[in-house]
mmCIF file of all heavy atoms in Angstrom:
data_model
loop_
_atom_site.group_PDB
_atom_site.id
_atom_site.type_symbol
_atom_site.label_atom_id
_atom_site.label_comp_id
_atom_site.label_asym_id
_atom_site.label_seq_id
_atom_site.Cartn_x
_atom_site.Cartn_y
_atom_site.Cartn_z
ATOM 1 N N GLN V 5 1.445 -44.581 -3.162
ATOM 2 C CA GLN V 5 0.743 -44.864 -1.850
ATOM 3 C C GLN V 5 -0.591 -44.903 -1.903
ATOM 4 O O GLN V 5 -1.246 -44.075 -2.613
ATOM 5 C CB GLN V 5 1.249 -43.613 -0.965
ATOM 6 C CG GLN V 5 0.819 -43.960 0.495
ATOM 7 C CD GLN V 5 1.638 -42.916 1.317
ATOM 8 O OE1 GLN V 5 2.351 -42.080 0.941
ATOM 9 N NE2 GLN V 5 1.122 -42.928 2.639
ATOM 10 N N LYS V 6 -1.217 -45.843 -1.167
ATOM 11 C CA LYS V 6 -2.721 -45.839 -1.076
ATOM 12 C C LYS V 6 -3.021 -45.409 0.338
ATOM 13 O O LYS V 6 -2.395 -45.860 1.256
ATOM 14 C CB LYS V 6 -3.109 -47.433 -1.240
ATOM 15 C CG LYS V 6 -2.926 -47.818 -2.676
ATOM 16 C CD LYS V 6 -4.007 -47.535 -3.665
ATOM 17 C CE LYS V 6 -3.927 -48.154 -4.981
ATOM 18 N NZ LYS V 6 -3.458 -47.101 -6.004
ATOM 19 N N TYR V 7 -4.083 -44.433 0.425
ATOM 20 C CA TYR V 7 -4.370 -44.131 1.685
ATOM 21 C C TYR V 7 -5.573 -44.874 2.164
ATOM 22 O O TYR V 7 -6.488 -45.243 1.427
ATOM 23 C CB TYR V 7 -4.855 -42.567 1.636
ATOM 24 C CG TYR V 7 -3.686 -41.705 1.071
ATOM 25 C CD1 TYR V 7 -3.870 -41.154 -0.114
ATOM 26 C CD2 TYR V 7 -2.475 -41.632 1.778
ATOM 27 C CE1 TYR V 7 -2.817 -40.411 -0.700
ATOM 28 C CE2 TYR V 7 -1.496 -40.849 1.280
ATOM 29 C CZ TYR V 7 -1.587 -40.216 0.063
ATOM 30 O OH TYR V 7 -0.555 -39.470 -0.472
ATOM 31 N N SER V 8 -5.575 -45.132 3.522
ATOM 32 C CA SER V 8 -6.682 -45.932 4.099
ATOM 33 C C SER V 8 -7.618 -45.136 4.876
ATOM 34 O O SER V 8 -8.891 -45.474 5.077
ATOM 35 C CB SER V 8 -6.195 -47.088 4.869
ATOM 36 O OG SER V 8 -5.385 -46.608 5.950
ATOM 37 N N SER V 9 -7.216 -43.941 5.356
ATOM 38 C CA SER V 9 -8.094 -43.073 6.108
ATOM 39 C C SER V 9 -7.660 -41.648 5.959
ATOM 40 O O SER V 9 -6.603 -41.321 5.518
ATOM 41 C CB SER V 9 -8.110 -43.488 7.566
ATOM 42 O OG SER V 9 -7.113 -42.752 8.299
ATOM 43 N N VAL V 10 -8.635 -40.696 6.412
ATOM 44 C CA VAL V 10 -8.305 -39.407 6.245
ATOM 45 C C VAL V 10 -7.071 -38.966 7.080
ATOM 46 O O VAL V 10 -6.358 -38.014 6.820
ATOM 47 C CB VAL V 10 -9.558 -38.491 6.744
ATOM 48 C CG1 VAL V 10 -9.869 -38.804 8.267
ATOM 49 C CG2 VAL V 10 -9.408 -37.095 6.501
ATOM 50 N N GLU V 11 -6.758 -39.782 8.149
ATOM 51 C CA GLU V 11 -5.571 -39.462 8.922
ATOM 52 C C GLU V 11 -4.225 -39.699 8.156
ATOM 53 O O GLU V 11 -3.296 -38.894 8.304
ATOM 54 C CB GLU V 11 -5.503 -40.479 10.234
ATOM 55 C CG GLU V 11 -6.754 -40.274 11.132
ATOM 56 C CD GLU V 11 -6.850 -38.800 11.661
ATOM 57 O OE1 GLU V 11 -5.860 -38.130 11.840
ATOM 58 O OE2 GLU V 11 -8.084 -38.432 11.767
ATOM 59 N N ASP V 12 -4.206 -40.641 7.226
ATOM 60 C CA ASP V 12 -2.954 -40.819 6.427
ATOM 61 C C ASP V 12 -2.755 -39.705 5.342
ATOM 62 O O ASP V 12 -1.677 -39.576 4.899
ATOM 63 C CB ASP V 12 -3.109 -42.066 5.600
ATOM 64 C CG ASP V 12 -3.453 -43.344 6.516
ATOM 65 O OD1 ASP V 12 -3.289 -43.243 7.686
ATOM 66 O OD2 ASP V 12 -3.930 -44.375 5.740
ATOM 67 N N LEU V 13 -3.924 -39.127 4.984
ATOM 68 C CA LEU V 13 -3.901 -38.287 3.939
ATOM 69 C C LEU V 13 -3.111 -37.145 4.152
ATOM 70 O O LEU V 13 -3.120 -36.381 5.229
ATOM 71 C CB LEU V 13 -5.356 -37.793 3.560
ATOM 72 C CG LEU V 13 -5.778 -37.280 2.346
ATOM 73 C CD1 LEU V 13 -5.720 -38.422 1.244
ATOM 74 C CD2 LEU V 13 -7.254 -36.929 2.331
ATOM 75 N N PRO V 14 -2.217 -36.620 3.203
ATOM 76 C CA PRO V 14 -1.493 -35.361 3.497
ATOM 77 C C PRO V 14 -2.470 -34.143 3.516
ATOM 78 O O PRO V 14 -3.643 -34.304 2.948
ATOM 79 C CB PRO V 14 -0.522 -35.175 2.184
ATOM 80 C CG PRO V 14 -1.184 -36.043 1.253
ATOM 81 C CD PRO V 14 -1.996 -37.100 2.015
ATOM 82 N N GLU V 15 -2.174 -32.998 4.111
ATOM 83 C CA GLU V 15 -3.036 -31.927 4.310
ATOM 84 C C GLU V 15 -3.460 -31.404 2.868
ATOM 85 O O GLU V 15 -4.547 -31.010 2.569
ATOM 86 C CB GLU V 15 -2.392 -30.736 5.073
ATOM 87 C CG GLU V 15 -2.396 -31.137 6.594
ATOM 88 C CD GLU V 15 -1.061 -31.954 6.962
ATOM 89 O OE1 GLU V 15 -0.406 -32.387 6.037
ATOM 90 O OE2 GLU V 15 -0.908 -32.151 8.261
ATOM 91 N N ALA V 16 -2.319 -31.211 1.993
ATOM 92 C CA ALA V 16 -2.590 -30.616 0.615
ATOM 93 C C ALA V 16 -2.787 -31.884 -0.321
ATOM 94 O O ALA V 16 -2.233 -32.921 -0.037
ATOM 95 C CB ALA V 16 -1.384 -29.847 0.256
ATOM 96 N N SER V 17 -3.556 -31.564 -1.386
ATOM 97 C CA SER V 17 -3.756 -32.617 -2.254
ATOM 98 C C SER V 17 -2.562 -32.773 -3.257
ATOM 99 O O SER V 17 -2.594 -32.506 -4.484
ATOM 100 C CB SER V 17 -4.870 -32.227 -3.065
ATOM 101 O OG SER V 17 -4.814 -30.993 -3.651
ATOM 102 N N VAL V 18 -1.377 -33.172 -2.608
ATOM 103 C CA VAL V 18 -0.103 -33.489 -3.383
ATOM 104 C C VAL V 18 -0.035 -34.929 -3.615
ATOM 105 O O VAL V 18 -0.546 -35.693 -2.758
ATOM 106 C CB VAL V 18 1.089 -32.864 -2.678
ATOM 107 C CG1 VAL V 18 1.014 -31.456 -2.552
ATOM 108 C CG2 VAL V 18 1.256 -33.568 -1.286
ATOM 109 N N ALA V 19 0.723 -35.376 -4.613
ATOM 110 C CA ALA V 19 0.789 -36.790 -4.903
ATOM 111 C C ALA V 19 2.225 -36.994 -5.380
ATOM 112 O O ALA V 19 2.607 -36.348 -6.314
ATOM 113 C CB ALA V 19 -0.347 -37.314 -5.795
ATOM 114 N N SER V 20 2.922 -37.937 -4.707
ATOM 115 C CA SER V 20 4.199 -38.318 -5.251
ATOM 116 C C SER V 20 3.886 -39.276 -6.453
ATOM 117 O O SER V 20 4.760 -39.872 -7.089
ATOM 118 C CB SER V 20 5.083 -38.920 -4.295
ATOM 119 O OG SER V 20 4.429 -40.006 -3.645
ATOM 120 N N VAL V 21 2.628 -39.728 -6.567
ATOM 121 C CA VAL V 21 2.188 -40.556 -7.556
ATOM 122 C C VAL V 21 2.304 -39.750 -8.924
ATOM 123 O O VAL V 21 1.422 -39.107 -9.259
ATOM 124 C CB VAL V 21 0.780 -41.055 -7.341
ATOM 125 C CG1 VAL V 21 0.368 -42.192 -8.311
ATOM 126 C CG2 VAL V 21 0.601 -41.568 -5.983
ATOM 127 N N SER V 22 3.419 -39.958 -9.467
ATOM 128 C CA SER V 22 3.649 -39.240 -10.809
ATOM 129 C C SER V 22 2.756 -39.829 -11.779
ATOM 130 O O SER V 22 2.341 -40.927 -11.609
ATOM 131 C CB SER V 22 5.039 -39.314 -11.138
ATOM 132 O OG SER V 22 5.169 -39.403 -12.464
ATOM 133 N N THR V 23 2.431 -39.041 -12.787
ATOM 134 C CA THR V 23 1.616 -39.584 -13.902
ATOM 135 C C THR V 23 2.201 -40.846 -14.628
ATOM 136 O O THR V 23 1.621 -41.477 -15.414
ATOM 137 C CB THR V 23 1.216 -38.437 -14.928
ATOM 138 O OG1 THR V 23 2.451 -37.755 -15.197
ATOM 139 C CG2 THR V 23 0.135 -37.455 -14.403
#
Side-chain angles (χ1 to χ4, degrees):
Chain V
Q5 186 171 351
K6 295 271 184 257
Y7 303 113
S8 57
S9 86
V10 67
E11 299 303 326
D12 308 340
L13 203 65
E15 288 83 352
S17 55
V18 294
S20 59
V21 188
S22 142
T23 45

